[in-house]
Amino acid sequence: QSVLTQPPSASGTPGQRVTISCSGSSSNIGSNYVYWYQQLPGTAPKLLIYRNNQRPSGVPDRFSGSKSGTSASLAISGLRSEDEADYYCAAWDDSLKVFGGGTKLTVL
Amino acid sequence: QVQLVQSGAEVKKPGASVKVSCKASGYTFTSYGISWVRQAPGQGLEWMGWISAYNGNTNYAQKLQGRVTMTTDTSTSTAYMELRSLRSDDTAVYYCARVARMYGMDVWGQGTTVTVSS
């Protein structure tokens, strides 16, 4: 059981906007930054969002992050087939890093 | 370019130890930390711990305390993760990741598969 809670799956059609939620508590999301990682099949995770809503260079602006209280969300607009992947949220919790269980995004 | 290259796959028997290496290049090794994350087959990501490449300070996940040791060799810009008393549920892909103060885990190694089987 993960400390951060994500829906196990999400789906959308090309061009659609999808959101993935991540729920935590006051000791993690409520008091620390949230990070999002994308893991394409058979590859290492890749940093997608840092410090709640910042994109590293090279990450398309179709990806955006937000945080409110003890929850966070990742939004993907203009969905593309190559966005089909697993997405993980993460945050620090009392000097330990915790991950969500991951959300498998399917592009229909 | 910034890169983390990990050692090759390992097969170990229960009770044995494994030591995975992670060689950094393309940046100043001692200016960042290294985290280790593992992923059991078909499962999510699990954070194992972190080491500062600057001063060797470590922080381990509670469930691995006493079985894991993370070290660095600044002369070769290499980080190591040793896991002892291996069990079948330690079978996983083990990743190292560079830790930047602002960006978090921003560069990842390619992963090392560790299989624990009798």
Side-chain angles (χ1 to χ4, degrees), chain A residues 35 37 39 43-47 50-51 56 88 90 92 94-101, chain B residues 37 39 43-47 50 59-62 95 101-106 108-110:
Chain A
Y35 301 81
Y37 299 90
Q39 187 176 32
T43 69
K46 168 190 168 186
L47 178 65
Y50 66 97
R51 292 199 169 189
Y88 295 89
W92 287 103
D94 191 22
S95 77
L96 304 176
K97 193 83 167 189
V98 291
F99 284 99
Chain B
V37 175
Q39 185 170 37
Q43 302 301 307
L45 303 174
E46 178 186 13
W47 182 79
W50 167 89
N59 191 16
Y60 300 139
Q62 260 187 320
Y95 295 102
R101 180 175 295 274
M102 174 173 286
Y103 302 103
M105 294 180 282
D106 66 340
W108 292 65
Q110 83 277 19

Side-chain angles (χ1 to χ4, degrees), chain A residues 13 24-25 35 39 51-52 68 74 82 94 108:
Chain A
T13 56
S25 67
Y35 301 81
Q39 187 176 32
R51 292 199 169 189
N52 301 334
S68 178
L74 172 72
E82 58 259 41
D94 191 22
L108 302 169

Side-chain angles (χ1 to χ4, degrees), chain B residues 3-84:
Chain B
Q3 205 173 3
L4 297 175
V5 178
Q6 299 183 222
S7 49
E10 303 263 13
V11 179
K12 297 291 183 181
K13 294 195 181 306
S17 299
V18 69
K19 192 169 186 177
V20 179
S21 67
C22 170
K23 184 169 176 58
S25 61
Y27 71 95
T28 302
F29 184 65
T30 52
S31 295
Y32 297 81
I34 294 286
S35 270
W36 290 87
V37 175
R38 69 180 181 177
Q39 185 170 37
Q43 302 301 307
L45 303 174
E46 178 186 13
W47 182 79
M48 299 178 67
W50 167 89
I51 181 168
S52 165
Y54 173 71
N55 58 17
N57 285 350
T58 56
N59 191 16
Y60 300 139
Q62 260 187 320
K63 70 176 283 190
L64 296 173
Q65 288 273 4
R67 285 208 301 139
V68 68
T69 301
M70 296 176 188
T71 56
T72 59
D73 181 346
T74 56
S75 68
T76 60
S77 299
T78 303
Y80 298 91
M81 185 284 300
E82 181 180 32
L83 189 60
R84 301 175 292 279

Side-chain angles (χ1 to χ4, degrees), chain A residues 30-78:
Chain A
S31 51
N32 293 291
Y33 291 118
V34 177
Y35 301 81
W36 289 91
Y37 299 90
Q38 177 193 58
Q39 187 176 32
L40 297 170
T43 69
K46 168 190 168 186
L47 178 65
L48 205 59
I49 297 288
Y50 66 97
R51 292 199 169 189
N52 301 334
N53 54 19
Q54 303 298 302
R55 283 185 309 277
S57 62
V59 173
D61 60 6
R62 302 186 296 105
F63 294 90
S64 62
S66 64
K67 174 184 137 175
S68 178
T70 60
S71 293
S73 63
L74 172 72
I76 309 171
S77 59

